[in-house]
Amino acid sequence: MNQVKQRNASVILVAAGMGTRLGAGIPKALVEIAGKSLAEHAVDRILEVPGIREVIVVTPPDDDRLAEALRGYPDSVRTAPGGSSRAGSVRNGLAQVCPDAELILVHDAARPFAPAALFQRVLEQLEVPGCDAAIPALPVTDTISVVATDPAGSELVVQTPDRSTLRAVQTPQGFSAATLREAHAGLRTLSEEQLAAVTDDASIVRAAGGAVHVVAGDARALKVTHPDDLAAAEQLAAATTEAPHRNEPQDMLLPRVGTGIDIHAVSTDPEREMWLAGLYFPEDIGLSGHSDGDAVAHAACDALFSASGIGDLGTHFGVDRPEFAGASGVSLLTEAARLVREAGFEIGNIAVQFVGRRPRFGARREEANRVLSAAAGAPVSITATTSDGLGYEGAGEGITAYATALVYERP
Ligand SMILES: Nc1ccn([C@@H]2O[C@H](COP(=O)(O)OP(=O)(O)OP(=O)(O)O)[C@@H](O)[C@H]2O)c(=O)n1
Ligand SMILES: C[C@](O)(CO)[C@H](O)COP(=O)(O)O
């Protein structure tokens, strides 16, 4: 999902319908799925949407059960009394919206599992210059025909529009506040009967001359209308409980990866000790450097710093830190891991591969893995390769180590 600057937004959740087609014997928004009313499920989803300042829930008239059920919610969730039509309910909700609201989303409580990502898609579309109205919609799969009733009372197909131009319109429908307010003001002269024929806010805005933009809808924004819809809604409720945010990567706490490379020349001092991957190799001439030259440990440190975004080896162990002169790779990695944890991260693992002709590593791999894992307090796995005689590694003049690390923010 794109990160765009969003204006403040209010939501009107229309929940005042009687649910005649559902036939539950109570207003539809009060019908419970997985122990919670449809309206509460809808509010829960809305509260996951960043940038929503208030939610006006339009409740069934002369019925305070929904207002009671919403008592435990934050003060930003308020109620307004329902009207005798959906448009009338939206109008009552509009009267409660903060006067300085910039954007208003109108959503059906009957679509309780519309995900937060769908709200964000509509909000992002409204940030496109010149866009004052945006609605989600899905392509239709059935052929849709226009019918008329003949004199004998049977229906005849009079038109079958090109299906590719048809969309099944959903909510939330989003508008600049001025656009929605003006369009609804234009309904003042309509009779109750005419208002009842208005099924959504986009058509009100269009009738007032506004352009309505369409964004991709979401099957989870299913509208509970008929009894058969309840089974599908139960499944959506279960999916939401089992895997919250599963398809909303913007809400996932992702781990972070980092990379590090370190190169050290083989020392010209034949007495220099060879330390690599935390181990001493008595038969090899060591690597030159400010510290012990352990390129594997250093690359691991850099990968950790890179993953955590807290600088690099120079930032923490540079020449201005004389206490690290000659420090072992193991002590640097121990300190790097401490700094990373101090910055609020935990370490997943570190992988390092070095390229060099010497030392012979295979027989000591497990030992090196153990030593560096103990230093990092997390699994470290080391591999080695030669460069087929090419370059400074092939000539035995130096060693390159490449590392990757994975860290994650501590909850
Ligand atoms: N007077 C009304 C009518 C409808 N709605 C809301 O508008 C949304 C979409 O309406 P619909 O699914 O048709 O709900 P009902 O009107 O309750 O259903 P029915 O037509 O079967 O009675 C629902 O969230 C419903 O609560 C409303 O707030 N006020
Ligand atoms: C607003 C709406 O949900 C968009 O599909 C729909 O128009 C409501 O219509 P209903 O006939 O009141 O269910």
Side-chain angles (χ1 to χ4, degrees):
M1 181 146 319
N2 298 329
Q3 291 299 309
V4 293
K5 190 194 161 299
Q6 281 174 356
R7 289 169 284 168
N8 74 64
S10 301
V11 176
I12 298 173
L13 181 72
V14 283
M18 289 300 114
T20 323
R21 289 169 286 177
L22 192 64
I26 52 172
K28 186 159 66 183
L30 288 168
V31 169
E32 291 199 357
I33 287 201
K36 237 189 259 180
S37 69
L38 297 189
E40 287 169 275
H41 281 294
V43 173
D44 289 346
R45 297 285 79 70
I46 294 166
L47 292 178
E48 292 174 5
V49 184
I52 299 296
R53 203 167 55 157
E54 58 180 356
V55 185
I56 312 297
V57 183
V58 186
T59 60
D62 307 320
D63 186 333
D64 53 11
R65 284 176 290 181
L66 186 48
E68 281 297 324
L70 295 171
R71 233 177 252 295
Y73 280 85
D75 291 347
S76 57
V77 180
R78 306 200 306 278
T79 58
S84 56
S85 62
R86 186 184 184 282
S89 289
V90 174
R91 184 174 51 202
N92 292 357
L94 262 177
Q96 297 300 318
V97 168
C98 264
D100 64 345
E102 294 168 288
L103 303 174
I104 300 175
L105 300 183
V106 183
H107 186 47
D108 291 339
R111 298 182 188 272
F113 301 108
L118 186 64
F119 285 77
Q120 283 205 264
R121 196 141 66 232
V122 172
L123 286 169
E124 285 176 7
Q125 178 61 41
L126 289 171
E127 295 303 334
V128 172
C131 177
D132 283 318
I135 63 169
L138 288 173
V140 295
T141 45
D142 292 324
T143 295
I144 310 283
S145 291
V146 180
V147 296
T149 307
D150 75 6
S154 70
E155 279 186 347
L156 292 177
V157 171
V158 291
Q159 196 192 340
T160 302
D162 173 7
R163 188 169 64 186
S164 68
T165 66
L166 297 174
R167 298 289 179 272
V169 168
Q170 302 180 320
T171 67
Q173 300 190 348
F175 310 92
S176 71
T179 299
L180 188 65
R181 287 186 198 282
E182 277 163 31
H184 268 268
L187 299 182
R188 266 191 301 258
T189 54
L190 295 195
S191 66
E192 287 297 320
E193 202 182 355
Q194 286 169 316
L195 275 183
V198 177
T199 56
D200 78 343
D201 298 278
S203 45
I204 300 170
V205 167
R206 245 184 67 70
V212 177
H213 295 252
V214 176
V215 300
D218 191 305
R220 290 168 291 178
L222 162 109
K223 185 153 85 69
V224 176
T225 306
H226 299 106
D228 284 352
D229 298 323
L230 288 173
E234 295 275 3
Q235 280 180 5
L236 287 169
T240 308
T241 317
E242 282 160 17
H245 317 308
R246 193 178 42 192
N247 295 319
E248 294 165 34
Q250 80 279 11
D251 292 335
M252 288 168 62
L253 203 53
L254 292 171
R256 299 167 55 123
V257 293
T259 60
I261 296 180
D262 197 42
I263 303 170
H264 279 271
V266 172
S267 176
T268 52
D269 174 3
E271 300 301 317
R272 173 92 173 161
E273 289 185 350
M274 165 59 109
W275 285 89
L276 195 71
L279 302 184
Y280 176 49
F281 292 87
E283 292 174 11
D284 291 276
I285 298 173
L287 300 166
S288 58
H290 166 57
S291 61
D292 67 353
D294 187 334
V296 168
H298 298 176
C301 293
D302 251 344
L304 281 179
F305 293 142
S306 148
S308 322
I310 58 168
D312 58 20
L313 215 60
T315 313
H316 299 286
F317 308 133
V319 285
D320 58 336
R321 305 282 307 272
E323 69 269 31
F324 289 114
S328 71
V330 166
S331 50
L332 291 188
L333 185 56
T334 305
E335 174 65 2
R338 190 192 67 76
L339 290 167
V340 162
R341 291 193 173 97
E342 191 179 62
F345 296 92
E346 194 40 73
I347 302 168
N349 75 305
I350 307 169
V352 193
Q353 181 165 52
F354 75 84
V355 187
R357 209 166 69 181
R358 301 277 307 170
R360 293 275 172 252
F361 187 68
R364 301 193 67 191
R365 182 197 322 282
E366 289 310 320
E367 193 188 352
N369 286 348
R370 270 198 306 279
V371 169
L372 293 196
S373 297
V380 178
S381 49
I382 307 155
T383 54
T385 186
T386 62
S387 60
D388 207 14
L390 296 172
Y392 57 84
E393 298 107 330
E397 294 168 356
I399 282 180
T400 309
Y402 302 87
T404 57
L406 181 142
V407 303
Y408 54 94
E409 273 182 69
R410 249 195 322 275

